[in-house]
Amino acid sequence: LMDEKRQLSYSAFNTWANRLAWAFKAEGVDHGDVVAVMLENRLELLAILAALSKLGAVGALINTTQRGKVLAHSFNLVKPGFLVIGDELLSAFDEVDEQLHDQQARRYWIADQDCLQGAGLAPDGWTNLMQLATGQAEDNPPDSLHVRMKDACFLIYTSGTTGLPKASIMSHGKWIKAYGGFGHSGLTLSERDVLYLTLPCYHNNAVTVCWSAVLAGGAAIALRRRFSASAFWSDVARYNATCFGYIGELCRYLLNQPVHPAEQGNSLRCMIGNGLRPSIWSEFKQRFGIEQITEFYASSEGNIGFTNVFNFDNTVGYTPATYAIVRYDLENDCPKRASNGFLQKANKGEAGLLISEISAKWPFDGYTDPAKSESVILRDVFKQGDAWFNTGDLMRDIGCKHAQFVDRLGDTFRWKGENVSTTEVENVLGAFPGVEDAVVYGVEIAGTNGRCGMAALRLASAYALDGAALAAHLDAELPAYAAPLFVRLLGEVETTGTFKYKKTDLKQAGYDPNLVDDPLYVRLPGSDSFQPLSRETHAAIEQQHYRF
């Protein structure tokens, strides 16, 4: 395990994790206890998660970009008895401290420096965790023998269609399936390989997919705090990296960079991740000399995963799980049922809803909230009494148990590699002075991956839009990826009979002044305000003069 200044062997990492496990055990952390962990990408984070897994405790991986009410919700949702916070995020924690329900939870602080030996003075009310671990035993705690596949390992936060983040359960068994599927079958790394990891470790892409693939092959991880397109090739050369973890947006950033001297004849041979669009797949592979793209499909809460184990182009790959792609009624937002009441399978090549059977072999771990789990289960699908997980994603079958990703359904869209809940953003906008109604949806920008946020707002009669104030409000309440970039002002908002917003027409019109008579506004890259969107600015965006 490496970063810019440190390097740890497997043995050194394991003894460190053991010392931390014994320290946690002495503090009362037991099997099944939830421990909230909020650190940026650094060696300490992986050591802490390894320590907790040895005890059978559950690490709740707090999204480090969350702030305000969303961050407080993430803590309160999982009721942690213990909090582990990195000094680099202490100010963000302090902002929501008073909103936490359990003020008695034990608090542990991690210095923002090389703290293997427990350096640094903890603030008042906090305990220096690394100092507690100094001098602890270095052998595995006996608790490790009692950890079972069905036990929760991590809680991973996911934004769904129902508003604030939900906590999905990553069991040890599910993690081991990733270890086999992504590690042994997908990447097949060896002790000669180095995986360069810039994806945030609060995501399954990093903490499950990449970490498990590395451990499966006895390879190394070169960890970076956050992705930097300009530093990417220098880092690859420094670490002699042979693999890296990606999301589609990261790949687009690299393609948009001018040619870097270090990219010529680079050491990379493979990559693992998701969201690489067919439009840039071949170009990326050829420009950077990548031999193997292990694209995959999975979700934090789901019971199915596809992996491109045969290195085909433009596919999420193969799955051994039992799945079906069924016809979906986009107008009414529900799967189509035949006259007999059962769902209908889509034809090969036809886009449909991906569902996966829930069984003893493919269990559904779901969310911490049972009601949320039940809401994504389809019952009586092909026969009475069966149960299937609704992925909420459109896929097409391309044969031989391979599939292609088409799009996401519902009120969640993906931007900057993150899922954005429109309900969450609508709630934040609703709190802004003068906003009577807020409808949020995803719109595509030419030359980018996914969809960015757009908000259609109805203002009270006495209010005019203050672009700078709105931008400041969004920055204070939302992660950068979730804040809308376009605004449309509406005279009235159309709703369904059940008072759901009608978004189809809004999505189709997008931010095109030629299709929209209402006032339009845009927040251009680097700006701290929304400005009126003219036809000239729209044309410049379409011609990719701005880099969103």
Side-chain angles (χ1 to χ4, degrees):
L1 184 61
M2 297 177 281
D3 65 9
E4 292 181 359
K5 298 177 181 177
R6 297 176 289 177
Q7 184 168 311
L8 288 174
S9 67
Y10 271 75
S11 176
F13 177 81
N14 191 52
T15 55
W16 187 18
N18 282 336
R19 289 196 300 271
L20 283 164
W22 283 103
F24 276 127
K25 186 176 172 66
E27 290 292 294
V29 176
D30 202 357
H31 191 113
D33 286 345
V34 175
V35 181
V37 182
M38 189 178 180
L39 285 88
E40 291 183 344
N41 273 19
R42 48 191 177 111
L43 310 193
E44 289 78 9
L45 176 57
L46 294 186
I48 287 164
L49 296 179
L52 293 174
S53 73
K54 287 171 181 281
L55 296 176
V58 188
L61 294 170
I62 305 293
N63 184 324
T64 58
T65 68
Q66 289 178 350
R67 297 293 184 270
K69 295 174 186 174
V70 178
L71 179 59
H73 165 83
S74 292
F75 279 107
N76 290 329
L77 178 65
V78 298
K79 303 179 177 63
F82 307 84
L83 310 174
V84 181
I85 311 293
D87 189 66
E88 69 275 20
L89 293 162
L90 195 58
S91 61
F93 177 86
D94 287 342
E95 290 175 9
V96 302
D97 190 354
E98 293 182 355
Q99 300 175 47
L100 301 191
H101 296 164
D102 185 3
Q103 292 292 323
Q104 304 306 312
R106 296 196 181 188
R107 302 181 173 197
Y108 302 93
W109 170 85
I110 312 292
D112 190 12
Q113 57 190 8
D114 184 359
C115 50
L116 191 58
Q117 304 304 321
L121 182 63
D124 289 343
W126 295 79
T127 301
N128 185 328
L129 178 63
M130 296 301 167
Q131 212 166 62
L132 287 183
T134 304
Q136 294 282 357
E138 296 185 345
D139 55 330
N140 271 331
D143 308 68
S144 299
L145 299 173
H146 305 292
V147 181
R148 298 290 180 259
M149 291 284 209
K150 64 182 180 181
D151 294 336
C153 182
F154 305 129
L155 298 179
I156 306 288
Y157 291 86
T158 175
S159 290
T161 59
T162 53
L164 291 167
K166 300 185 289 292
S168 63
I169 301 167
M170 170 60 64
S171 66
H172 284 270
K174 197 169 168 185
W175 197 94
I176 289 295
K177 281 181 179 175
Y179 171 89
F182 300 127
H184 286 299
S185 299
L187 273 185
T188 62
L189 301 177
S190 75
E191 67 276 4
R192 297 181 299 277
D193 285 303
V194 176
L195 187 147
Y196 178 49
L197 182 57
T198 66
L199 303 176
C201 285
Y202 58 76
H203 264 190
N204 263 328
N205 281 36
V207 81
T208 297
V209 176
C210 290
W211 197 5
S212 70
V214 164
L215 292 181
I221 291 178
L223 195 62
R224 185 181 175 89
R225 285 279 179 117
R226 57 186 66 85
F227 171 71
S228 166
S230 59
F232 185 89
W233 294 109
S234 299
D235 279 355
V236 166
R238 176 194 296 127
Y239 297 118
N240 198 29
T242 56
C243 183
F244 73 101
Y246 72 87
I247 54 173
E249 195 73 5
L250 183 154
C251 297
R252 187 179 64 80
Y253 289 150
L254 291 175
L255 269 181
N256 286 344
Q257 290 288 304
V259 174
H260 191 287
E263 79 178 58
Q264 306 296 320
N266 67 76
S267 53
L268 292 175
R269 65 172 181 83
C270 59
M271 52 198 270
I272 187 166
N274 60 5
L276 184 61
R277 287 201 169 186
S279 59
I280 66 170
W281 189 298
S282 296
E283 183 185 357
F284 192 90
K285 204 171 181 180
Q286 289 168 10
R287 173 174 166 180
F288 302 124
I290 307 294
E291 300 170 11
Q292 178 183 353
I293 297 179
T294 305
E295 174 88 1
F296 71 86
Y297 168 87
S299 62
S300 298
E301 70 277 24
N303 68 337
I304 186 171
F306 289 78
T307 313
N308 188 21
V309 295
F310 301 117
N311 196 27
F312 294 149
D313 287 339
N314 302 321
T315 174
V316 297
Y318 162 87
T319 181
T322 305
Y323 76 94
I325 295 174
V326 297
R327 289 181 172 148
Y328 196 82
D329 183 345
L330 288 169
E331 189 68 29
N332 294 301
D333 198 21
C334 63
K336 291 181 179 178
R337 289 190 180 264
S339 57
N340 62 6
F342 297 129
L343 299 193
Q344 304 168 282
K345 290 186 179 180
N347 294 325
K348 181 179 174 181
E350 178 186 354
L353 174 68
L354 174 70
I355 61 175
S356 55
E357 188 174 24
I358 299 170
S359 64
K361 187 176 181 181
W362 300 99
F364 173 58
D365 296 321
Y367 304 105
T368 53
D369 182 345
K372 294 286 196 308
S373 297
E374 184 60 33
S375 70
V376 294
I377 297 176
L378 294 171
R379 300 191 183 277
D380 302 328
V381 172
F382 298 118
K383 61 183 180 182
Q384 291 294 329
D386 64 355
W388 295 66
F389 169 65
N390 179 354
T391 67
D393 290 321
L394 290 174
M395 305 277 270
R396 66 168 54 91
D397 198 326
I398 57 175
C400 301
K401 297 205 85 174
H402 279 65
Q404 281 181 339
F405 180 81
V406 177
D407 208 348
R408 305 187 73 84
L409 284 173
D411 285 343
T412 300
F413 58 89
R414 195 165 178 83
W415 182 243
K416 302 294 183 184
E418 303 276 357
N419 291 341
V420 180
S421 163
T422 58
T423 309
E424 175 190 326
V425 181
E426 285 164 359
N427 290 338
V428 169
L429 285 165
F432 185 70
V435 172
E436 295 278 5
D437 280 301
V439 188
V440 175
Y441 43 97
V443 292
E444 291 187 283
I445 300 177
T448 67
N449 280 359
R451 290 175 169 82
C452 75
M454 182 167 180
L457 304 178
R458 184 174 69 86
L459 301 182
S461 57
Y463 283 83
L465 184 70
D466 185 334
L470 178 60
H473 174 73
L474 293 171
D475 288 347
E477 295 294 332
L478 291 169
Y481 63 79
L485 298 181
F486 297 94
V487 168
R488 174 179 176 177
L489 296 185
L490 298 175
E492 60 180 358
V493 177
E494 278 192 281
T495 60
T496 66
T498 54
F499 303 103
K500 293 180 180 178
Y501 293 129
K502 290 185 176 180
K503 300 186 180 183
T504 304
D505 292 344
L506 294 173
K507 289 178 183 177
Q508 288 175 350
Y511 53 90
D512 188 345
N514 300 302
L515 301 176
V516 177
D517 294 326
D518 301 313
L520 292 169
Y521 296 82
V522 61
R523 186 176 183 181
L524 293 171
S527 173
D528 58 0
S529 179
F530 286 87
Q531 66 181 56
L533 176 59
S534 64
R535 282 182 166 82
E536 292 75 18
T537 304
H538 176 263
I541 292 170
E542 290 297 290
Q543 292 161 18
Q544 302 179 37
H545 292 172
Y546 297 99
R547 295 181 61 188
F548 286 87

